[in-house]
Amino acid sequence: MRKDLVELGTHQAAFFPRVDGNTLTLSWVDELLFACLSKDWLTPVDVLMHRSSAGEELRNGWGMRIGDCFLAMRLRQWAEHRGAEAALESVPYRTDRPPMLVARYRLTAVGDEIKRRGLAEIAQGARLPVWGVTAYDPLAPWVVVDDGTAHQRVQRLEGRATQDDE
């Protein structure tokens, strides 16, 4: 039973932003998405089928667990989050098709900066409800912290961890 709980916790932790020292980074799942994105317009299908280790991890590791429609939903959430300061922008593509082809996405300058340097603040991330809490919620900032062992833990962000803390 304990092993099952650890596996479930590890799975859920992959949706929360991470703290590494003073750097606040994307969740593991969002990092995979961003790794497959660029300035080129891509559908969620293109992202899922990206020829890279991140694309392979999305297909073989996460695609089986969360499904392809989650990826389309997550890309839309990022594109709709923060308006003009969104990390992704979208354009309609084949609106008469399934969610995986309805829109195309690309990184904005903000998204490229997040991809390269991490999050300036937790509110830059598109919120994602996960089992009764919300990832990237500045009012309840839960993050993943590596505890120095083989395990990670989700904890509330104390103080303000940003890329440029001084």
Side-chain angles (χ1 to χ4, degrees), residues 27-79:
S27 71
W28 176 242
V29 172
D30 287 337
E31 185 174 291
L32 292 172
L33 285 175
F34 274 57
C36 295
L37 291 163
S38 66
K39 296 288 185 182
D40 298 327
W41 291 105
L42 300 173
T43 66
V45 170
D46 297 328
V47 172
L48 185 62
M49 299 308 295
H50 195 265
R51 292 179 181 259
S52 65
S53 59
E56 185 176 333
E57 178 70 18
L58 281 173
R59 277 188 306 282
N60 300 325
W62 285 97
M64 303 301 273
R65 295 181 197 146
I66 58 179
D68 55 358
C69 286
F70 173 84
L71 299 177
M73 177 199 73
R74 192 68 183 136
L75 290 168
R76 182 177 41 80
Q77 288 172 333
W78 274 100

Side-chain angles (χ1 to χ4, degrees), residues 107-119 124 163:
L107 289 173
T108 64
V110 170
D112 188 55
E113 186 71 10
I114 290 171
K115 179 179 177 177
R116 291 184 299 108
R117 296 180 46 106
L119 299 160
Q124 271 190 304
Q163 180 66 28

Side-chain angles (χ1 to χ4, degrees), residues 5-19:
L5 289 175
V6 169
E7 286 178 18
L8 178 61
T10 300
H11 172 80
Q12 298 303 79
F15 297 97
F16 288 87
R18 298 169 292 155
V19 172

